[in-house]
């Protein structure tokens, strides 16, 4: 009897997770006008170790990347979004970054935690922060390649572990299931003018549907701290680029 109840509970949680992914995808696309598409997802498997649905057996980001459809298919059309996730309810939600959509700066999870603590101490307001067990991603306002280049040129050292997802790039949004674990909000989206409680965490349980388009910081506001904390967490020997002034 316990086994039957356990199976029913797992099935109920799985269905709830599928519904949550579709709801989130519709919110991103229709409420916030962020172009999205389904990620490749994971192959069915037993246990926590599951392979990517793409043909690459050594995929570096299992489940968490576009494949079919490709990135250019990203859309804000509600009918298309609903059709995709009705047919593929467990597919990750992939955001096509840049253009009028947010850009993303991602870094190792340890560096991300250090950076958020530094921002909190300095009283710097952040936008949404996405977390997986291995990497954290800060959503920022759209930037051009020229602007990013100038900001990076002013740095003595740009660690390779710090990655930038702008025009033509992508990022995976909550509550997507991936090979690294389910994607979650470390800092939930907030509209302009909203305030957060201690550490900005009071918004973490806020429902996304009905929320005004989230506020995003400029990349110039966060770049210095992200570089500093990534270097501090990974060390200068962790790969990167020395930039001349």
């Amino acid at each position: 009897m316990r086994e039957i109840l356990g199976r029913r509970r797992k099935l109920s949680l799985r269905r709830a997770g599928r519904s949550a992914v579709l709801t989130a995808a519709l919110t991103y696309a229709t409420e916030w006008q962020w172009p999205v598409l389904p990620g490749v997802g994971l192959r069915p498997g037993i246990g926590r170790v599951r392979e990517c649905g793409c043909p690459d057996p050594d995929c570096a980001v299992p489940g968490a990347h576009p494949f079919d459809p490709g990135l250019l298919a990203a859309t804000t059309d509600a009918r298309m979004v609903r059709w995709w996730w009705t047919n593929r309810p467990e597919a990750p939600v992939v955001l096509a970054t840049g253009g009028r959509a947010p850009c993303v700066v991602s870094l190792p999870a340890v560096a991300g935690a250090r950076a958020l603590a530094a921002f909190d101490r300095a009283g710097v307001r952040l936008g949404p922060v996405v977390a997986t067990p291995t990497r954290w991603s800060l959503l920022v306002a759209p930037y051009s390649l020229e602007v990013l280049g100038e900001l990076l040129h002013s740095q003595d050292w740009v660690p390779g572990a710090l990655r930038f997802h702008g025009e033509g790039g992508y990022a995976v949004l909550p509550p997507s299931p991936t090979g690294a674990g389910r994607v979650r909000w470390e800092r939930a989206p907030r509209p302009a003018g909203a305030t957060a409680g201690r550490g900005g965490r009071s918004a973490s349980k806020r429902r996304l549907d009905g929320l005004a388009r989230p506020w995003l910081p400029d990349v110039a506001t966060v770049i210095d701290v992200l570089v500093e904390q990534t270097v501090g967490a990974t060390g200068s020997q962790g790969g990167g680029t020395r930039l001349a002034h």
Side-chain angles (χ1 to χ4, degrees):
M1 186 66 177
R2 289 181 179 178
E3 183 178 352
I4 294 175
L5 291 175
R7 289 178 180 176
R8 288 180 178 176
R9 182 173 182 274
K10 289 181 180 179
L11 180 60
S12 177
L13 290 173
R14 189 175 302 162
R15 288 174 176 171
R18 292 174 177 176
S19 176
V21 175
L22 172 58
T23 298
L26 285 170
T27 296
Y28 302 143
T30 63
E31 298 291 332
W32 302 351
Q33 292 295 292
W34 292 0
V36 298
L37 74 158
V40 63
L42 300 168
R43 298 182 189 277
I46 300 175
R48 295 185 177 181
V49 179
R50 297 173 64 185
E51 296 180 347
C52 184
C54 75
D56 183 1
D58 300 316
C59 182
V61 284
H65 64 88
F67 181 67
D68 183 16
L71 186 61
L72 293 178
T75 184
T76 59
D77 182 77
R79 292 174 298 178
M80 193 73 239
V81 169
R82 192 177 296 278
W83 185 85
W84 274 333
W85 272 276
T86 298
N87 287 278
R88 298 173 55 190
E90 294 187 348
V93 183
V94 174
L95 167 71
T97 55
R100 299 183 63 184
C103 291
V104 173
V105 185
S106 67
L107 64 169
V110 172
R114 291 172 52 139
L116 263 63
F119 286 126
D120 288 343
R121 289 193 298 269
V124 175
R125 183 184 181 188
L126 295 177
V129 179
V130 173
T132 71
T134 57
R135 292 188 71 82
W136 287 14
S137 299
L138 280 71
L139 275 63
V140 298
Y143 56 72
S144 68
L145 185 60
E146 291 76 17
V147 167
L148 180 63
E150 291 178 1
L151 291 171
L152 296 183
H153 186 72
S154 67
Q155 304 291 328
D156 290 331
W157 181 266
V158 181
L162 190 62
R163 300 171 189 167
F164 301 89
H165 311 259
E167 186 76 31
Y170 66 90
V172 178
L173 298 177
S176 301
T178 72
R182 188 169 291 275
V183 182
R184 63 178 176 83
W185 295 114
E186 176 63 24
R187 296 288 171 88
R190 291 178 289 142
T195 57
R198 184 179 179 182
R201 297 179 186 276
S202 64
S204 62
K205 296 182 179 180
R206 187 190 304 272
R207 288 178 60 85
L208 299 182
D209 47 322
L211 176 68
R213 195 171 189 178
W215 179 86
L216 301 169
D218 290 332
V219 67
T221 305
V222 301
I223 189 64
D224 290 346
V225 171
L226 295 182
V227 169
E228 177 184 357
Q229 296 303 327
T230 303
V231 170
T234 62
S236 61
Q237 302 302 316
T241 302
R242 178 71 66 179
L243 298 177
H245 289 285

